[in-house]
């Protein structure tokens, strides 16, 4: 019995020794594998975009580093951001200088007191609905792009956190509502915004904005209004489509797709904001009687004859 116990003890000890040796070998192998993974060759492959294996699910689950991310960052921060500031500053500054030089475009003749319907209640509601959303989205978008440079340094961390969150939430949730307004506006006024020879002459005469100049003929929409319409149809729709792509990232969009959408969204948005200053200027302080038309729906006949004579001649007998 003593001999059997000795043999069993020796066998058990031998198994423990072999197990310890195996564990040491496995540990060494694991350490070697980790060292290889952390090595320069591994990360060089990752930075080159080589895909690996993961148990996670998704179109880009095996991509550890998005290699186009740095290019997107450089384009956005080194090009789009400063160019956007320049575009907005030039647009606003040019209009301010023009106003101080030319002043408001006045009516050539006294008001007649007779009103003519220009905008229906639905058209006014659609315009103000879309315009209000445009202003909110413009302010929130500019805050997201430039806030960290302009606002954050002069705010406490708490105020800045609440502001940037409000900008993000409002931009994301109001964006789809703006899309509805843009589409309805384009459909509603498409028939009035095709260019004709009348518009060519309108441009030749500077649209009647030069002091003591002639007031060229125009139909329901003049050449300047048509340019704004087609900016909405191109840049505006680009903003809408790219915004929806980023707002709803559950339809197979890759990170590279989102980066391209972000770049196009920023370029189109900044261009549209810069151009909108001209539209707002002409429709408010730039032209006497223009704003009251969109406020009440009616314009004075003197205003209609001066700015949209072809349209007035066609509808004056229908009032």
């Amino acid at each position: 019995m003593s001999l059997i116990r000795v043999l069993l003890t020796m066998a058990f000890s031998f198994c423990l020794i072999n197990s310890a040796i195996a564990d040491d070998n496995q540990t060494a192998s694991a350490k070697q594998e980790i060292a290889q993974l952390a090595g320069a060759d591994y990360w060089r492959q990752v930075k080159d975009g080589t895909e690996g294996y993961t148990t996670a699910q998704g179109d880009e689950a095996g991509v550890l580093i998005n290699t186009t991310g740095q290019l997107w960052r450089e384009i956005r921060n080194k090009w789009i951001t400063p160019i956007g500031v320049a575009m907005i500053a030039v647009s606003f500054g040019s209009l301010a200088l023009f106003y101080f030089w030319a002043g408001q475009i006045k009516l050539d003749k006294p008001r007649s007191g007779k009103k003519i319907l220009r905008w229906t209640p639905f058209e006014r509601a659609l315009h103000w609905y879309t315009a209000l959303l445009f202003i909110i989205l413009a302010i929130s978008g500019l805050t997201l792009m430039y806030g960290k440079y302009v606002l954050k340094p002069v705010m406490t961390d708490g105020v800045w956190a609440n502001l940037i969150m409000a900008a993000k939430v409002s931009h994301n949730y109001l964006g789809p509502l703006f899309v509805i307004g843009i589409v309805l506006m384009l459909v509603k006024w498409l028939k009035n915004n095709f260019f004709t020879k009348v518009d060519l002459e309108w441009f030749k005469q500077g649209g009647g904005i030069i002091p003591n100049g002639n007031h060229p003929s125009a139909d329901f929409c003049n050449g300047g209004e048509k340019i704004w319409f087609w900016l909405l149809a191109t840049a505006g729709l680009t903003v809408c489509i790219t915004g929806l792509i980023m707002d709803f990232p559950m339809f197979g969009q890759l990170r590279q797709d989102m980066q391209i959408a972000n770049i196009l969204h920023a370029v189109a948005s900044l261009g549209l904001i810069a151009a909108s200053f001209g539209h707002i200027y002409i429709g408010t302080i730039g032209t006497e009687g223009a704003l009251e038309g969109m406020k009440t729906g009616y314009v004075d006949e003197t205003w209609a004859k001066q700015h949209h004579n072809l349209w007035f001649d066609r509808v004056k007998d229908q009032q």
Side-chain angles (χ1 to χ4, degrees), residues 9-260:
T9 301
M10 293 175 62
F12 181 71
S13 301
F14 180 76
C15 289
L16 289 177
I17 293 172
N18 283 338
S19 178
I21 294 174
D23 288 342
D24 290 341
N25 291 335
Q26 290 178 358
T27 301
S29 177
K31 290 181 178 179
Q32 183 179 4
E33 183 177 354
I34 291 173
Q36 291 175 350
L37 290 177
D41 291 340
Y42 172 77
W43 289 109
R44 189 177 297 112
Q45 294 179 37
V46 170
K47 291 180 181 180
D48 290 339
T50 301
E51 292 192 25
Y53 170 77
T54 177
T55 56
Q57 301 297 315
D59 294 329
E60 294 183 291
V63 180
L64 185 58
I65 293 180
N66 177 25
T67 57
T68 60
Q70 184 58 31
L71 176 61
W72 164 78
R73 182 187 297 274
E74 291 179 359
I75 293 175
R76 183 180 185 275
N77 293 344
K78 293 184 179 181
W79 293 95
I80 296 177
T81 300
I83 291 176
V85 171
M87 290 170 57
I88 292 174
V90 169
S91 176
F92 185 83
S94 299
L95 290 171
L97 291 175
F98 181 82
Y99 179 77
F100 289 124
W101 172 66
Q104 187 182 58
I105 301 174
K106 299 292 185 178
L107 294 176
D108 292 339
K109 299 179 181 179
R111 293 171 181 259
S112 66
K114 297 179 181 180
K115 299 293 185 178
I116 183 170
L117 180 65
R118 180 162 173 81
W119 307 106
T120 66
F122 170 76
E123 291 170 336
R124 298 200 314 277
L126 177 60
H127 172 271
W128 290 116
Y129 164 85
T130 310
L132 180 61
L133 288 175
F134 177 85
I135 292 172
I136 296 174
L137 291 170
I139 294 174
S140 60
L142 291 175
T143 300
L144 291 171
M145 176 165 279
Y146 298 107
K148 63 181 179 181
Y149 306 112
V150 179
L151 300 177
K152 186 179 180 181
V154 297
M155 292 182 173
T156 63
D157 291 341
V159 173
W160 166 249
N162 290 325
L163 175 64
I164 201 68
M165 179 57 68
K168 179 179 181 297
V169 171
S170 62
H171 207 79
N172 289 347
Y173 282 92
L174 296 180
L177 300 179
F178 177 72
V179 174
I180 296 173
I182 284 287
V183 171
L184 289 177
M185 287 180 67
L186 295 178
V187 172
K188 181 70 179 70
W189 287 304
L190 175 62
K191 64 179 184 296
N192 298 315
N193 283 279
F194 293 105
F195 289 100
T196 66
K197 293 181 180 179
V198 173
D199 300 310
L200 179 60
E201 189 61 31
W202 187 91
F203 286 118
K204 287 181 179 179
Q205 297 185 36
I209 63 174
I210 301 176
N212 300 320
N214 296 324
H215 291 282
S217 296
D219 209 316
F220 183 83
C221 293
N222 59 40
E225 291 168 327
K226 291 180 180 179
I227 286 181
W228 174 245
F229 175 88
W230 289 109
L231 278 174
L232 290 178
T234 52
L237 286 182
T238 299
V239 170
C240 292
I241 294 171
T242 54
L244 291 175
I245 290 174
M246 292 186 291
D247 231 356
F248 300 97
M250 68 283 291
F251 298 103
Q253 300 99 311
L254 304 180
R255 280 176 287 184
Q256 186 173 355
D257 300 330
M258 303 291 276
Q259 291 161 3
I260 294 173

